[in-house]
Amino acid sequence: MKNVYDFHVKDMDGNDVSLEKYKGKILLIVNTPTGCGFTPHYEPLEEMYKLFKNKGFEILDFPCNQFANQAPESNEDIQKFCTMKFGTEFPQFDKIDVNGENADPLFSYLATEKPFKGFGKGIKNLALDKFAKLNNNKFGDKAYIKWNFTKFLIDRQGNVIERFEPTVDMDIVKQKVQSVL
């Protein structure tokens, strides 16, 4: 049976990385931008990382520019932004596509394992839903990820156990991570 350990990704320098490197750890895999209303999620993500990294927790950050051109910078500039503005220390990987014909296979797999079920209720969530649909129309049935800061929680066996849309409160994400640690 396939799991996340079967995938290879590229680090910020373009080197091949097997996700088997993270075997036995709890992972939170997230697609990120630098210029989005959800970019402040970096702060609670880094807090979680510092709190739980010694308990076998890793955050794997994959920059993506497919949502309203909100991550146009180079890998180097994205990394500088994240470390200087939010003090991030968790691993950041090569900028990727998460949707369309060139979608990274890891994200296609993650989204197939835990499909999109909506952004939730409320005016902001409904507005994001409409905007995301317009943005993602060009990807058709390969619109796996609906917006920036979609997070996937992976258990120690490499199975996808939860999907968090960017509209999910970060305290809920933290509680779920803590419960599986």
Side-chain angles (χ1 to χ4, degrees), residues 110-159:
L110 295 170
T112 301
E113 290 293 298
K114 290 291 178 188
F116 178 71
K117 292 185 179 170
F119 289 117
K121 298 184 189 228
I123 294 171
K124 286 182 182 178
N125 296 351
L126 292 173
L128 179 58
D129 188 53
K130 287 182 183 181
F131 193 70
K133 282 180 183 170
L134 286 173
N135 184 75
N136 291 326
N137 276 343
K138 60 187 167 236
F139 303 118
D141 65 347
K142 295 188 187 300
Y144 304 109
I145 308 300
K146 303 307 177 185
W147 205 251
N148 298 309
F149 283 96
T150 299
K151 301 160 201 77
F152 293 92
L153 185 59
I154 313 301
D155 69 14
R156 293 184 193 275
Q157 291 73 45
N159 302 305

Side-chain angles (χ1 to χ4, degrees), residues 30-38 62-72 96-100 107 119 128 131-139 142-150 163 165-166:
V30 57
N31 67 299
T32 60
T34 52
C36 171
F38 295 108
F62 291 86
C64 177
N65 193 37
Q66 289 190 299
F67 304 97
N69 198 36
Q70 294 179 338
I96 61 167
D97 286 348
V98 295
N99 290 323
F107 276 83
F119 289 117
L128 179 58
F131 193 70
K133 282 180 183 170
L134 286 173
N135 184 75
N136 291 326
N137 276 343
K138 60 187 167 236
F139 303 118
K142 295 188 187 300
Y144 304 109
I145 308 300
K146 303 307 177 185
W147 205 251
N148 298 309
F149 283 96
T150 299
R163 176 179 177 148
E165 299 305 331

